Amino acid sequence: MSNTIKAVHDDDLLGLLESLELLNKFNAGKLKCAFCDETISHENLHSLYPDGGTIKLVCNKPSCVSALMAKLEEKRYE
Amino acid sequence: MSEAIAFVLGTFGTGLGIILLLFLYPDKVQQWGAMIGYTLSKFGGIFKSLHKTAVRLDLQGYINDYVGQFSKDLPFLESKKVKVEFIDQSATRKSLLEDGSVILRLRKDDSDELNFVHGAYMFVSTSLLYRVKRYISQSQRDALDLYITTQLIEKEKPSIRDHFLEEYLHPNLKDPKSERSLNYKNISTIDDGGLFHAVLLEELEFLGSKVFGNNKDDRIILEVRGLMEFLVKVTQRKVGQEDTDLNFEREFCRSAILIVGKATTILTYDKTPYVNYIRDILFKKNKIETIYILGGVEKKDIIDDVCNQVSGLYQVIRKRNIKNNLNREDGTKKKVDTYCVVLRQFETRLYQQN
């Protein structure tokens, strides 16, 4: 169990996306939420998480945030 | 609090006083740091980057303040303090994949305080009540997380409560017939009756400790659902109503609530009926593992004496004062100060799968 919240601040967000080779897709509106398939934008980006060898993004809809938490629980006990 | 701060600064001088305050009230100091950081960052220029530090201190200061109070009431809960760690913008895909953590995006323009809402919910979901949540269903877990996050926000950031309810809680509970909504409603009723921390979380933690290390099991999920329904009935019981079953005897949970309430019983028979009931019925006959003794705070000495008289069978694991609502015959409620002692058998069963 971890009590650390890992985070990226908006000051570093674009730099991080560039480092992850996701910035061009982000700017072009080609990144989708891992749970609802909605386009990820600067307005709705909630988080990033690694899954199945790729980095996935999640939007800030309550249902998607809950789905992310459920996914984390699953991964914890795998 | 402000008097304490004035005393520390006055007695030890500003420099030493601030160092002492850091030790005495680290969460409050982080909250102040966040406030100063947010204010300065608005000036831009060299202060612009202070926003990032302010967001970190804001989350840590307010969440840890709540966790400190939460763990005073429930010391068994895993409640180490939260730490916000920023990912470097040059972090590589490889390092993130290896680390495996979720990276929460924290906003610079955050008029709705979404940073706090998302940070608090993530912390509650991933860190608090770890052992408790291991064996319950997704909807039970969601309901617990939402309920505790709501409490955290109401306590620490009441100004964003309405926004949280509208944008976060209500959408999660939009289907009133969903399991998540029903569980949330049950937890809310149990808390209103004063039994959320005092009984439900105690019992869930004990259950988690008994089955820890095993695989998930539908029987446990059903039992937790039954436990919540049992506690809802107890909290909806009217004063003097005697037909409510106060024992919860199942495969994994064996607990009972004993209400020390009747003045006539105490006047006529002293504590003997309670002691005999614990020894002969709860311990010998029903093999109850945990007893929650509840009574008005004025009956504290009587309850403590009952506990002493059964100390060969049960050990006291928690004493606390709670506020709960009593349901009167006429349908109104009365908030009362209640003394609650948790007794547990010395030897309790563990469940291990082969």
Side-chain angles (χ1 to χ4, degrees):
Chain A
M1 183 195 65
S2 168
N3 289 298
T4 301
I5 294 177
K6 297 218 172 168
V8 59
H9 187 266
D10 275 354
D11 284 353
D12 303 321
L13 180 62
L14 298 183
L16 179 66
L17 291 174
E18 188 168 20
S19 178
L20 298 174
E21 297 168 5
L22 295 171
L23 185 60
N24 288 340
K25 284 185 180 176
F26 179 73
N27 287 333
K30 288 183 178 171
L31 294 175
K32 306 282 184 187
C33 171
F35 299 103
C36 72
D37 217 30
E38 187 162 311
T39 301
I40 292 290
S41 67
H42 201 263
E43 278 67 46
N44 72 356
L45 175 62
H46 171 271
S47 55
L48 304 87
Y49 75 100
D51 186 37
T54 61
I55 304 293
K56 294 186 175 172
L57 286 82
V58 183
C59 78
N60 62 1
K61 276 189 205 150
S63 55
C64 297
V65 176
S66 290
L68 172 67
M69 297 309 148
K71 181 105 188 160
L72 292 179
E73 286 288 329
E74 277 172 29
K75 285 177 80 171
R76 176 185 284 172
Y77 304 123
E78 270 174 3
Chain B
M1 172 68 83
S2 56
E3 283 175 17
I5 291 164
F7 173 77
V8 169
L9 291 175
T11 309
F12 297 99
T14 309
L16 189 59
I18 288 172
I19 293 170
L20 264 176
L21 286 174
L22 276 169
F23 280 103
L24 292 173
Y25 308 108
D27 306 330
K28 293 288 175 207
V29 171
Q30 292 201 52
Q31 291 172 16
W32 301 331
M35 201 166 59
I36 294 166
Y38 283 137
T39 306
L40 289 176
S41 69
K42 286 176 186 161
F43 290 103
I46 56 167
F47 298 116
K48 200 176 157 191
S49 62
L50 283 179
H51 189 272
K52 188 171 160 182
T53 306
V55 175
R56 180 172 61 79
L57 294 177
D58 190 46
L59 275 170
Q60 290 178 174
Y62 285 98
I63 293 177
N64 289 338
D65 189 46
Y66 179 77
V67 168
Q69 294 167 46
F70 198 64
S71 56
K72 265 184 208 162
D73 195 29
L74 298 163
F76 55 85
L77 296 175
E78 298 85 352
S79 53
K80 289 174 197 163
K81 300 209 160 185
V82 68
K83 186 179 165 201
V84 176
E85 193 177 294
F86 283 112
I87 297 287
D88 193 87
Q89 60 176 310
S90 60
T92 61
R93 178 181 291 262
K94 184 169 176 283
S95 66
L96 294 193
L97 290 173
E98 281 173 359
D99 183 70
S101 301
V102 171
I103 298 161
L104 180 67
R105 179 268 187 106
L106 294 175
R107 294 159 183 268
K108 184 129 192 165
D109 179 12
D110 187 31
S111 53
D112 292 329
E113 296 217 46
L114 282 177
N115 287 340
F116 191 80
V117 169
H118 291 151
Y121 185 55
M122 180 175 275
F123 174 71
V124 170
S125 298
T126 57
S127 300
L128 273 190
L129 303 165
Y130 165 76
R131 199 157 56 172
V132 170
K133 291 188 291 191
R134 169 72 179 90
Y135 296 95
I136 60 181
S137 72
Q138 185 61 46
S139 64
Q140 290 164 343
R141 199 159 51 222
D142 286 347
L144 264 180
D145 288 341
L146 286 167
Y147 194 80
I148 292 169
T149 307
T150 306
Q151 284 191 318
L152 192 162
I153 285 173
E154 282 180 343
K155 173 77 182 62
E156 298 294 336
K157 294 253 186 180
S159 60
I160 62 169
R161 175 185 176 273
D162 289 347
H163 182 77
F164 172 75
L165 296 183
E166 277 173 33
E167 300 295 325
Y168 220 84
L169 185 68
H170 295 160
N172 266 301
L173 304 177
K174 65 183 173 192
D175 178 4
K177 290 180 181 168
S178 70
E179 281 287 314
R180 183 194 286 163
S181 297
L182 295 173
N183 284 320
Y184 188 93
K185 192 178 169 200
N186 282 344
I187 292 170
S188 179
T189 305
I190 292 165
D191 196 24
D192 189 46
L195 304 184
F196 177 50
H197 287 190
V199 181
L200 180 62
L201 291 185
E202 284 278 5
E203 201 58 25
L204 289 180
E205 164 64 17
F206 184 46
L207 172 65
S209 72
K210 283 199 288 188
V211 299
F212 198 70
N214 294 340
N215 295 326
K216 291 186 88 160
D217 187 327
D218 285 347
R219 291 176 302 166
I220 299 172
I221 291 170
L222 286 174
E223 211 157 290
V224 169
R225 181 191 293 171
L227 176 67
M228 286 195 199
E229 288 166 357
F230 161 75
L231 290 175
V232 166
K233 280 184 189 161
V234 172
T235 55
Q236 290 176 337
R237 168 185 173 274
K238 288 195 167 62
V239 176
Q241 186 181 336
E242 294 192 350
D243 58 352
T244 308
D245 186 4
L246 296 178
N247 293 0
F248 187 75
E249 298 165 47
R250 302 288 169 90
E251 184 178 357
F252 299 100
C253 298
R254 299 192 70 78
S255 56
I257 291 172
L258 176 63
I259 297 172
V260 176
K262 277 194 167 179
T264 49
T265 305
I266 296 165
L267 278 174
T268 314
Y269 306 106
D270 198 40
K271 301 129 204 160
T272 312
Y274 298 109
V275 173
N276 288 346
Y277 180 67
I278 291 173
R279 278 182 184 157
D280 300 336
I281 306 296
L282 297 183
F283 181 76
K284 282 184 191 164
K285 184 166 174 262
N286 297 347
K287 301 187 178 8
I288 294 293
E289 290 180 328
T290 309
I291 305 171
Y292 300 88
I293 306 183
L294 303 171
V297 286
E298 71 282 1
K299 299 193 180 81
K300 180 181 181 298
D301 291 343
I302 295 166
I303 293 172
D304 284 342
D305 198 30
V306 169
C307 295
N308 282 336
Q309 291 192 45
V310 297
S311 60
L313 307 175
Y314 291 94
Q315 58 186 321
V316 174
I317 62 161
R318 203 96 52 221
K319 290 180 179 181
R320 52 161 75 88
N321 290 322
I322 59 175
K323 281 193 185 295
N324 63 335
N325 279 316
L326 291 185
N327 304 298
R328 291 173 170 138
E329 277 292 335
D330 61 6
T332 59
K333 293 186 176 200
K334 183 188 175 193
K335 206 159 204 84
V336 291
D337 292 311
T338 301
Y339 182 55
C340 172
V341 179
V342 185
L343 294 180
R344 184 155 294 147
Q345 267 194 33
F346 284 98
E347 289 181 17
T348 52
R349 300 159 301 148
L350 294 177
Y351 294 87
Q352 295 300 325
Q353 291 170 335
N354 293 323

